Amino acid sequence: MAKDKKMVEAITSMDEDFAQWYTDVVKKAELCDYASVKGCMVIKPDGYALWENIQHELDKRFKAAGVRNVYMPLFIPESLLEKEKDHVEGFAPEVAWVTHGGLEPLQERLCVRPTSETLFCDFYARDIQSYRDLPKVYNQWCSVVRWEKTTRPFLRSREFLWQEGHTAHATAEEAEERTIQMLNVYADFCEEFLAIPVVRGQKTDKEKFAGAESTYTIEALMHDGKALQSGTSHNFGDGFAKAFEIQYSDKDNQLKYVHQTSWGLSTRIIGAIIMVHGDNEGLVLPPRVAPTQVVIVPIRQQQEGVLEKAREVEKQLFGFRVKVDDTDKSPGWKFSESEMRGIPVRVELGPKDIEAGQAILVRRDTHEKLTVRLDEIAEKVGALLETIQSDMLARAASHRDAHTYTAADMEELKDLADNKPGFIKAMWCGSQECEEKLKEEAGVTSRCIPFKQETLSGACVCCKKPAAKMVYWGKAY
Amino acid sequence: MAKDKKMVEAITSMDEDFAQWYTDVVKKAELCDYASVKGCMVIKPDGYALWENIQHELDKRFKAAGVRNVYMPLFIPESLLEKEKDHVEGFAPEVAWVTHGGLEPLQERLCVRPTSETLFCDFYARDIQSYRDLPKVYNQWCSVVRWEKTTRPFLRSREFLWQEGHTAHATAEEAEERTIQMLNVYADFCEEFLAIPVVRGQKTDKEKFAGAESTYTIEALMHDGKALQSGTSHNFGDGFAKAFEIQYSDKDNQLKYVHQTSWGLSTRIIGAIIMVHGDNEGLVLPPRVAPTQVVIVPIRQQQEGVLEKAREVEKQLFGFRVKVDDTDKSPGWKFSESEMRGIPVRVELGPKDIEAGQAILVRRDTHEKLTVRLDEIAEKVGALLETIQSDMLARAASHRDAHTYTAADMEELKDLADNKPGFIKAMWCGSQECEEKLKEEAGVTSRCIPFKQETLSGACVCCKKPAAKMVYWGKAY
C-alpha cells in the first residue's frame, strides 16, 4: 500500500504556495517526470494522453481549415539560421548546437530547430515557382529545443512538443487573413475543448516574434492571477521571402515575393489546463480532453455480483472513455486517486445501489453527488459530462472577469499589480518607453492589444499623452 | 502547363534502372524532397499522409495490445549512452553530438537519440519499484538520428520518423512473449494494411541489435528481388536491467531484475510500399493506406452539369477518401497524375456517361476498366477497393514466392545470388564463420531464421557440417 499512500497524501494548498501546488499536481497526477538531461522532461502516459487528445482535435480543426501536414528536418545549418537578421538575433542565444556527426567534426555546425521558419523558407524557395503553387498551408507536429536557463514542467522546458504551421500566400491580405484565422482556431479550440477562456489580441512591437511584422496571441488567466500566452500566430509580410528569395511568377508574368505566416501551440497548454481548472484535490480535467472521462469504483467489490455489475455498467457507457478501477485498493483510496487525476465523473456502485437499481455519480469539479437509475445511466452520464464542460468554461470565465481590473493612472496600476493578481486593462500611447516603464515600476508586461477595444479614457496610463490603444497588462508565466 | 508536364514525363523504367526508378517515383509522386542538411529529408504532404495513416492504424493495434504512449527527451548524456557496453559500441560511431547549449559549451556532451533504450532504462530505474509497477508497456512516436554515410529517401536517412516501444516485465517468459507478440503485430499490419507479405523470423547473432539477447524481424521482398528489413523486435533479457539497475521487489520480497524488450517500425516502410507495389507508371497504393482512395476526373468539365454531377458522386462516395480533380488540366494529364500518385481507383465521368446514368471505374493496379451505374457507385467502389487490396497482397505474395529459391551447396547459392534476385533458402550450421563466408563469396546476408522451418537437407550449405537451421539469405537494402 506504500505506493497508494503517496498518491493520496495531501498536496500543498494552492493558496499557500501556488508554484509548489503546481509541481505537486504534475507529479502526483503522474503527468510528467524529470529527465537525466537538465531542463528536459519525460511525458508520462497520462500527460501524453492529454497531448494526444489535443493533437487529435486541433489537427481535425486544422484539416478543416485546409492545412496539410509535412515533416521538416530536425537540424538547421548555421548559415541558414542566419539568413533573416531579426530571427537569428532572437534565437541564436538559446539554441543547442551539433558539432560532430559520428566520429567526425562537421564542416558547418547545425542547430537543433528552436522553430522552423528557416527550414520552411528554404523549402518554399525551391518548391514555389508559380501562382499555381500558392497558397502553401503546411503544418508539422514535432519537438523543438530552446536552451532555457530556468525551466518548469510543461511551462518552460528545454525541449517541448508543439505544432508549427507555416504558410505562403500570393498577397499581403491573404497572409493577414490566415494569421487571424489560425488565431481564432486556437481561441475556439481553447474555449470549446479545454474550457479555457482566452483574450484574443495583438502583441506590441516589443513582445512580437523575432522576424514578424505582427504577432497575434491568445492570453489565458491562471488561477493565481498570472497570464499564460497560450498560442501565437505571426504575419511575416514578405520579410522572410526577401531574405530567402521566395518568388513566384504571377498571372501577369511578374516575379513577386510571397507573404508568409506561422502559428504554434505547444505542450505548454497542458500547464494552462492544470492552472486554470485544478484545485486542492489535484487535477480537474474538462471532459472533452480527459483521457478517462468516467471511472467506475465498485464498493465491496469482493461481494458476489458487484464487479460483474460494474463491468455491465462499463459496457452501457460504451462511447465514453470509461474504466473500472478493480485494483485491490480501498474505495477511499480510489476516490482520492480519481480526484488527483482529475477524472470528470466517478460512478460509485455498491451492493445496496445494485439492489436499488441505481448508482451514485460524483462530479469532480463540484464534488456534487447525483443518484441515477442504472437503466438510464448512459444518458445521464452523457448529459453530466456536457454540463461539467460548460460549467468549467463559465467558472473559468467568471474567475477571469473577477480578476480583470482597470487602471486610470500609474498609482492605481502599481497598486493593482502589487495587490490584485489578474489582468489590468489600461490605455497606452503606443510608445515602447511607457511599456518599459510599466515593466520596471509595476512589474507587468503588455499581454496584448485586444481585438475588442474599449475606450477607458483618452490618456496613456503612464505618460498621460493621447492614448492609441487599450492594452491588457499582467504578470505572466 | 510547365509544371503538369514535369509530372507526367516518363519516369525511368524499373527494369532498366531500379534505383533511378525509385528516385523518380519518390520525386514525381511528391512524397519527399531533399533538405539543406545532407542526408535529411523533407517529407511532403502526400508522403506524410502515408505516414499518418500508418501511425493511425499501427497505434490502434498497439493500444489494443495494451501499449501506452509517452515521450522521452531528444538528448542522451554521453555517460548514459555508455552504460550498456554492446549498445554504445553499436551506436556511438553514428550519432550526432550536441556540444553547446546557447552560447555556453556543455559540461557533458549530449547525443541526439539514435534510439531510446538508455532513456527508457534511466526512467524505469526510477519508476519501477514493485511487482505492482509491472509490466511497463510504453511506446513513443518520434524522430531519431543516425549519421549514415550513404543515404536514400525513406530507406536510409540521417533523420527518420519511427515508433519505438520499450517494455519491462517481471519474468523472462513474459518478455519473450511480448517480443514475439509485437513482431506479429507488425507482420499482420504489413500484410493486412499495406498488402506486403513478410517472412517472420529471428536474426542471427551477427545481425541482431546492439545489446539484444535476440532480435526478431519481418523481411519483405522488393520488386527488384532485394530484401527490406521492415520491422524488428528485440528481447534484451536482463542485460540492460543489470547495467541500469532496474530492480523490483517481487511478491516474495526479493529484489529482482526486470526483463526488457524494444520494437520499432519506421518511415522506411514507405520505401517498401513503393518498391513492392510500384510500376512503370509510378506509385501503386494499397487502398487501406492510400491518402486518396478515389479520384473523380470529370470529362468535358466546362460543359453544363458535369462538375455538378462529379460533386454529387463525391457526396455519394462519402466514407471513402475521395476528391474531385477540377483543375484546368486536360483529362489525359489528370489520368497520368492520378497514376503517378498511385490513387487506387479513378472515376471517369463525362456528359455521355451522365446521360447513360453511369461512370467508368479504372483500377490503378491492373488498369482494368469497369462501367457502373451511378446509383450503385458507392457499393461498387467499396467492393472494388476491397478487391484491389486483396489482389495486391496476393500479387506481392506470388512475386515473393516466385523469387524464393533454395540452394543445396555454395555453387548453387552463388549462381542464384548472381543471377536470380530474390530470397535464397539454405541450411546453416549456425557458425558465424559460414555466415561471413556467404557474405564474402556470394554477397548475401542472413535475412532471418524463419519461424516456419523446413528441412531442405541435413548439411550446412557452406561447410557441409550438420545444419542447425534453415535460413533466408539475400541481398538487402
Side-chain angles (χ1 to χ4, degrees), chain B residues 87-153:
Chain B
H87 189 69
V88 65
E89 271 176 25
F91 283 103
E94 56 172 39
V95 297
W97 292 102
V98 174
T99 56
H100 287 72
L103 307 171
E104 308 287 326
L106 299 178
Q107 293 199 314
E108 178 182 14
R109 59 182 195 161
L110 306 171
C111 92
V112 182
R113 64 177 164 225
T115 179
S116 304
E117 275 73 13
T118 53
L119 293 164
F120 274 89
C121 284
D122 183 52
F123 171 67
Y124 285 152
R126 285 195 307 278
D127 210 51
I128 295 170
Q129 277 117 43
S130 142
Y131 69 93
R132 286 167 180 258
D133 300 327
L134 296 174
K136 293 280 185 202
V137 186
Y138 289 174
N139 172 65
Q140 71 175 352
W141 293 93
C142 64
S143 84
V144 287
V145 169
R146 298 177 187 178
W147 219 252
E148 307 274 4
K149 295 231 159 55
T150 327
T151 61
R152 298 190 63 194

Side-chain angles (χ1 to χ4, degrees), chain B residues 297-345:
Chain B
V297 179
I299 317 289
R300 296 186 194 277
Q301 67 183 32
Q302 65 292 356
Q303 206 161 306
E304 208 191 309
V306 173
L307 262 180
E308 289 74 7
K309 196 69 187 179
R311 299 260 171 246
E312 251 177 58
V313 171
E314 184 186 19
K315 277 196 197 115
Q316 278 178 272
L317 295 176
F318 180 86
F320 304 106
R321 296 186 290 270
V322 57
K323 67 174 187 188
V324 175
D325 187 348
D326 60 0
T327 55
D328 59 3
K329 300 163 194 164
S330 75
W333 287 120
K334 293 181 187 179
F335 296 169
S336 300
E337 264 191 33
S338 71
E339 286 178 0
M340 183 65 74
R341 293 185 192 278
I343 299 170
V345 170

Side-chain angles (χ1 to χ4, degrees), chain A residues 137-282:
Chain A
V137 186
Y138 289 174
N139 172 66
Q140 71 175 353
W141 294 92
C142 63
S143 84
V144 287
V145 169
R146 297 177 187 177
W147 219 251
E148 306 274 2
K149 295 231 157 57
T150 326
T151 60
R152 297 190 62 195
F154 295 121
L155 296 175
R156 197 171 290 278
S157 51
R158 287 187 170 170
E159 182 194 10
F160 58 86
L161 302 180
W162 79 344
Q163 59 65 220
E164 46 178 326
H166 295 267
T167 72
H169 305 270
T171 66
E173 294 69 38
E174 211 185 294
E176 179 67 10
E177 258 170 48
R178 177 58 71 168
T179 317
I180 302 285
Q181 179 188 3
M182 298 319 291
L183 190 84
N184 283 323
V185 168
Y186 289 152
D188 294 345
F189 165 78
C190 284
E191 293 177 348
E192 294 162 12
F193 198 70
L194 306 179
I196 297 177
V198 295
V199 178
R200 308 171 194 214
Q202 187 171 358
K203 284 284 182 194
T204 61
D205 280 353
K206 182 172 181 291
E207 299 288 333
K208 74 185 185 189
F209 182 81
E213 246 175 34
S214 51
T215 287
Y216 300 98
T217 179
I218 49 171
E219 300 282 326
L221 197 69
M222 305 297 102
H223 199 87
D224 64 346
K226 278 198 199 165
L228 189 85
Q229 176 181 304
S230 304
T232 48
S233 187
H234 317 290
N235 186 344
F236 293 119
D238 58 7
F240 275 92
K242 284 180 174 161
F244 285 81
E245 295 187 52
I246 314 173
Q247 288 180 300
Y248 69 98
S249 65
D250 206 351
K251 288 177 189 170
D252 59 10
N253 268 321
Q254 299 290 305
L255 267 186
K256 294 176 187 170
Y257 288 107
V258 300
H259 291 75
Q260 291 174 271
T261 84
S262 83
W263 22 276
L265 183 143
S266 77
T267 36
R268 202 167 201 227
I269 201 75
I270 295 175
I273 297 172
I274 300 167
M275 292 196 290
V276 167
H277 299 302
D279 65 19
N280 283 330
E281 276 75 53

Side-chain angles (χ1 to χ4, degrees), chain B residues 15-28:
Chain B
D15 310 301
E16 197 177 293
D17 182 346
F18 195 78
Q20 189 57 46
W21 168 85
Y22 178 81
T23 309
D24 286 356
V25 172
V26 165
K27 198 176 163 57
K28 301 230 168 154

Side-chain angles (χ1 to χ4, degrees), chain B residues 31 45-58 61 189-196 265 267 269-274 277 283-294 321 341-344 385-386 388-389 392:
Chain B
L31 301 181
D46 280 357
Y48 198 81
L50 280 174
W51 184 239
E52 282 183 308
N53 290 346
I54 289 166
Q55 276 193 300
H56 183 257
E57 177 68 20
L58 204 51
R61 291 171 186 240
F189 164 78
C190 283
E191 292 176 350
E192 293 163 11
F193 197 71
L194 306 180
I196 296 177
L265 182 144
T267 36
I269 201 74
I270 295 175
I273 297 172
I274 300 167
H277 300 302
L283 209 54
V284 182
L285 293 176
R288 290 190 189 147
V289 76
T292 302
Q293 297 174 311
V294 182
R321 296 186 290 270
R341 293 185 192 278
I343 299 170
L385 289 171
E386 284 304 311
I388 294 173
Q389 182 80 30
M392 286 179 73

